[in-house]
Amino acid sequence: MNKIKHLNWMVLIVILSMTITQSSFAKTPFKKFKTRVSFVVDVTKATESDLFKVTVLPEKLGKKNNVYNLASTAPGTYDILDFGRFVKSFKAIDKSGNEIKVKQLSTNRWKIAQPQKLAKIEYMIEDSYDSGVKQYHIAPMCGTGIEKNYILMNTFGVMGYFEGLQSAPVRFKIDKPEKWTVGTALNQENDGYFYAETFDHMADSPVLIGDLTKATTKVSGIDVEIYCHSMNGVISAQDVMNISKEVLTAAGKFLTYAPVKRYAFLMSFMDREMMRRNKFNGWGALEHSYSSAYAIPENRQVLPSLKDMMAHEFFHIITPLNIHSEIIEKYNFATPTADEHLWLYEGVTEWAAGIMQLRDKQYTLQQYLNSISGKINDDERNYDPNFSLSRLSLESYQPSGSRQYGNIYQRGALNAAMLDIRLLELSGGKRGLREVIIDLSKRYGKQKAFNSKKFFDVLVKETYPEIRQFINDHIKGTKRLPFKEYYGKVGVKYTRSAPSKSKRPMFGITFSVNQKREIVITGFALSHKPFGLKAGDVVVKLLGEKATPESGSGIFAKTKEMKVGDSYEIVVKRDGKEIKLKGKLLQRMRYNILEPMTNLTPAQQKMQDVWKQNLPFK
């Protein structure tokens, strides 16, 4: 998917991919609903055939239900998925076992000639991991993967819906090897079926199947389950529980109430051979309302970063599950439809994942400020400053928005951080962004959507008239956030730039790896002096060596023996032509430095005290 951040040349970048649609567990047992469509997904021989065998068993259909759809896109992915392209065979059958004529209307749509006579549909669909597609690559956590000892199945990538029945109750059963475990947030009834209120609810519920480990805990009244598959047994569910229990506890304190009764983390840890074979350039998580699906390198060194990811995903039980627009509530799986409020769904969530750990004393103040500095630097180095958060959201399915999408986790979170301080200031330290968001979650909840076009008006009415200017300047507009002014209010010093203590020089260039495994220039340090390079240039040679993902560490090691001002040669490819250029190594600099002040004024101390805590609710 285009929303994947390409791998940094030296470090894998965590992808926090997006949010999924609203749904809810029914208060009434599912068996009391009249199920309109049943699915049987046979994976007993999937590891041999590399195919899902799907049987669709509808109740009586009408003329308006004559089209079967697979997803073109899905909530939270913000890109074209087109799962219909993985279908290898498709047939419709009547009660007598005779085939009914079927016409494929498009990549993802099949028209049934006589829907009233339809008894079942049978089709075989390949998983997306090793399908070898040449465009619209699907990130591992957003797709479907069949491997030797496990299967990660985003349900929207295997099962579809009939026209007119997207909101009808559905159920599915998985025929699997006897010893395999199934992990999902859906409830399984005595008949062996997993039940969902609607297709959207089912699509909101990924499944991990295989030789899994499991760990459980309780967080502020929420039953939390962790299911893990580790290809070489390197990481267990208990390992994940051990590193995440504190942050989940912090999340419970931050939320104050239990928006859901149950939550499942579904984690697949992939070894290098598997990632290389499937040509994965990224890894990360896709969050859903009651669960989140992870595809992560099988390396214990990722466990510390996994804690922050889980904090992020878990907070999505507030937004968008309990605060969402009509666009998210009634999702269009056939036609991508953008929502302006990604700043709320992802930016606020990313801010919450960090500050909840500061307020639970799992981060020191300096550790938290360092993470904020990193986000400011990422925003400035790698993204267009003239691209507002509103525009990013509305163009998220377009190439222009796709290139800027990762900034929702940087500038989106920074926006939320500044909005929090502004709200605390206007309320005299009585109500910040956390309190506003939780109040809104209780006002709307799972079953009530807000009007996307009117939400900014709602936010201003819920807070203060001055917030209108903040929205116009920093969400709809591109005015730089007032870091020095706002952080000064809470006793934090902001410094734009200062020389680093390190004597090792730098190129002043940001590199990444594209899907062709080429080294690409994505940005430049503020101190970089232009000498002909452009963002998007493909690096062919650097310091005399061929530039590849494997040679990166060796090339960067050479700078240890060089000094500031030394010349170097770089060869890049642009528009099919190679260009040789010469630059000079730069002094390492620190940018956007945040540090606690000493000798705070009484006003600063008061504001810092309330900013660093979860305020009590009345």
Side-chain angles (χ1 to χ4, degrees):
M1 71 188 236
N2 294 332
K3 297 301 170 294
I4 293 181
K5 284 186 177 181
H6 299 307
L7 297 181
N8 181 283
W9 199 357
M10 300 299 293
V11 183
L12 286 167
I13 296 175
V14 176
I15 314 140
L16 300 175
S17 166
M18 311 270 330
T19 270
I20 201 108
T21 186
Q22 172 268 344
S23 69
S24 63
F25 288 123
K27 294 181 180 179
T28 306
F30 285 116
K31 59 186 178 182
K32 292 188 178 181
F33 288 109
K34 181 176 174 57
T35 304
R36 291 296 306 275
V37 183
S38 301
F39 299 88
V40 177
V41 181
D42 187 345
V43 296
T44 53
K45 297 182 180 180
T47 57
E48 300 172 18
S49 66
D50 213 31
L51 296 168
F52 296 96
K53 182 180 178 181
V54 183
T55 303
V56 188
L57 302 162
E59 294 296 320
K60 185 177 180 181
L61 299 180
K63 292 181 180 180
K64 294 182 179 180
N65 312 130
N66 65 337
V67 176
Y68 184 78
N69 300 271
L70 283 171
S72 172
T73 186
T77 60
Y78 295 90
D79 216 333
I80 305 301
L81 303 176
D82 282 350
F83 281 103
R85 60 192 161 146
F86 304 126
V87 172
K88 299 303 178 184
S89 64
F90 190 101
K91 58 183 179 181
I93 302 170
D94 66 17
K95 292 180 180 179
S96 300
N98 301 312
E99 285 197 37
I100 299 172
K101 186 177 180 181
V102 174
K103 180 180 180 181
Q104 187 168 4
L105 302 176
S106 62
T107 301
N108 304 296
R109 306 178 78 231
W110 288 262
K111 184 177 181 180
I112 314 300
Q114 297 173 295
Q116 301 95 324
K117 294 184 178 181
L118 182 68
K120 64 180 178 180
I121 292 173
E122 293 180 343
Y123 60 92
M124 304 288 280
I125 182 168
E126 184 182 9
D127 70 318
S128 65
Y129 275 20
D130 58 357
S131 59
V133 295
K134 295 183 179 180
Q135 63 175 347
Y136 301 136
H137 292 269
I138 300 175
M141 62 281 190
C142 303
T144 54
I146 299 174
E147 294 295 324
K148 183 178 180 180
N149 293 315
Y150 83 100
I151 292 171
L152 178 61
M153 185 178 80
N154 276 291
T155 48
F156 53 72
V158 175
M159 294 172 277
Y161 62 94
F162 289 97
E163 205 87 356
L165 294 180
Q166 185 175 336
S167 298
V170 297
R171 66 177 184 170
F172 68 89
K173 181 170 65 173
I174 298 173
D175 289 341
K176 61 177 180 61
E178 185 178 353
K179 294 182 179 180
W180 278 17
T181 300
V182 176
T184 182
L186 285 172
N187 291 320
Q188 186 176 28
E189 297 296 323
N190 293 333
D191 58 6
Y193 280 89
F194 295 92
Y195 282 72
E197 294 177 5
T198 63
F199 173 79
D200 293 59
H201 183 191
M202 182 175 71
D204 194 17
S205 307
V207 180
L208 183 65
I209 318 164
D211 184 11
L212 311 181
T213 57
K214 180 181 178 182
T216 63
T217 190
K218 204 171 187 73
V219 176
S220 297
I222 303 171
D223 291 321
V224 175
E225 302 167 0
I226 298 176
Y227 295 90
C228 287
H229 178 270
S230 179
M231 298 194 78
N232 298 293
V234 174
I235 300 169
S236 70
Q238 192 59 51
D239 291 331
V240 176
M241 180 66 75
N242 292 342
I243 64 99
S244 63
K245 195 166 185 178
E246 286 187 354
V247 76
L248 293 176
T249 300
K253 294 177 182 177
F254 192 86
L255 294 174
T256 73
Y257 77 109
V260 300
K261 293 181 178 179
R262 179 176 165 223
Y263 190 92
F265 291 96
L266 310 176
M267 300 191 170
S268 63
F269 292 93
M270 312 172 293
D271 64 21
R272 288 185 178 182
E273 189 281 326
M274 181 266 205
M275 294 181 72
R276 190 180 300 112
R277 170 166 47 83
N278 290 316
K279 298 180 181 179
F280 291 158
N281 278 336
W283 54 279
L286 179 65
E287 60 270 15
H288 300 252
S289 296
Y290 301 93
S291 58
S292 43
Y294 299 71
I296 303 172
E298 189 183 41
N299 186 331
R300 293 186 69 86
Q301 292 180 357
V302 307
L303 288 176
S305 62
L306 184 59
K307 182 174 74 168
D308 290 339
M309 292 176 67
M310 293 174 71
H312 176 101
E313 318 304 357
F314 193 64
F315 190 77
H316 279 296
I317 61 179
I318 291 292
T319 174
L321 176 57
N322 282 279
I323 314 175
H324 55 266
S325 75
E326 76 286 353
I327 295 171
I328 297 295
E329 181 181 33
K330 298 179 181 179
Y331 193 79
N332 189 335
F333 287 88
T335 305
T337 306
D339 188 336
E340 188 177 4
H341 299 291
L342 286 184
W343 69 272
L344 171 65
Y345 307 144
E346 292 297 337
V348 170
T349 297
E350 180 67 4
W351 160 79
I355 204 158
M356 68 172 63
Q357 295 181 72
L358 171 68
R359 292 176 177 176
D360 198 47
K361 297 181 173 56
Q362 295 181 31
Y363 281 163
T364 65
L365 178 55
Q366 189 60 67
Q367 285 174 326
Y368 175 73
L369 295 176
N370 289 345
S371 71
I372 294 294
S373 293
K375 290 184 181 299
I376 302 173
N377 289 328
D378 198 1
D379 173 23
E380 291 184 345
R381 292 172 185 170
N382 298 317
Y383 300 101
D384 186 348
N386 299 311
F387 223 93
S388 72
L389 292 175
S390 285
R391 182 184 172 194
L392 186 160
S393 301
L394 293 171
E395 296 181 19
S396 57
Y397 284 104
Q398 302 172 27
S400 57
S402 176
R403 287 190 291 271
Q404 301 299 319
Y405 183 77
N407 209 15
I408 202 69
Y409 302 103
Q410 315 306 327
R411 197 185 305 166
L414 296 169
N415 226 286
M418 296 297 95
L419 181 56
D420 179 47
I421 294 173
R422 183 64 170 142
L423 288 169
L424 287 170
E425 178 189 30
L426 291 170
S427 67
K430 295 180 180 179
R431 193 168 183 246
L433 182 57
R434 164 185 172 264
E435 291 70 42
V436 170
I437 291 299
I438 290 175
D439 283 343
L440 286 171
S441 75
K442 294 177 179 179
R443 172 177 171 178
Y444 287 102
K446 296 185 286 288
Q447 308 297 341
K448 183 180 179 182
F450 62 73
N451 184 308
S452 182
K453 293 182 178 179
K454 295 181 179 180
F455 183 69
F456 286 129
D457 295 332
V458 171
L459 183 59
V460 171
K461 187 176 180 181
E462 180 73 15
T463 56
Y464 304 95
E466 291 88 343
I467 297 304
R468 177 79 64 186
Q469 191 63 50
F470 185 97
I471 292 168
N472 291 338
D473 286 347
H474 307 300
I475 300 178
K476 291 185 174 183
T478 58
K479 188 174 180 179
R480 192 172 191 273
L481 289 163
F483 299 115
K484 184 173 183 178
E485 177 190 353
Y486 278 31
Y487 274 120
K489 297 176 190 296
V490 295
V492 172
K493 180 183 177 182
Y494 170 80
T495 305
R496 186 77 174 95
S497 65
S500 170
K501 294 179 181 179
S502 173
K503 294 182 180 180
R504 183 177 174 181
M506 68 175 185
F507 293 110
I509 304 168
T510 304
F511 305 93
S512 69
V513 179
N514 66 15
Q515 291 183 343
K516 295 179 181 179
R517 295 187 62 75
E518 298 171 321
I519 309 305
V520 180
I521 294 174
T522 56
F524 304 93
L526 294 178
S527 59
H528 178 79
K529 302 284 193 301
F531 60 91
L533 293 175
K534 293 183 179 180
D537 285 347
V538 175
V539 182
V540 179
K541 285 186 178 181
L542 182 58
L543 296 183
E545 287 195 34
K546 184 178 180 181
T548 67
E550 292 74 26
S551 68
S553 58
I555 292 174
F556 277 92
K558 287 185 176 183
T559 62
K560 293 180 181 180
E561 310 303 322
M562 302 173 75
K563 61 182 184 297
V564 173
D566 282 356
S567 296
Y568 68 92
E569 186 174 275
I570 182 170
V571 180
V572 299
K573 185 168 62 178
R574 186 188 305 158
D575 298 327
K577 296 181 180 179
E578 289 192 3
I579 305 169
K580 184 185 295 185
L581 297 165
K582 284 190 176 182
K584 290 186 176 182
L585 292 176
L586 306 175
Q587 165 72 51
R588 287 184 178 272
M589 300 288 291
R590 299 170 64 208
Y591 296 103
N592 299 302
I593 306 159
L594 292 169
E595 300 169 304
M597 292 179 180
T598 56
N599 302 319
L600 273 62
T601 66
Q604 287 175 320
Q605 188 65 63
K606 179 181 178 182
M607 278 290 287
Q608 187 179 106
D609 289 344
V610 296
W611 172 67
K612 288 171 62 179
Q613 67 172 290
N614 295 323
L615 298 175
F617 276 88
K618 294 181 180 179

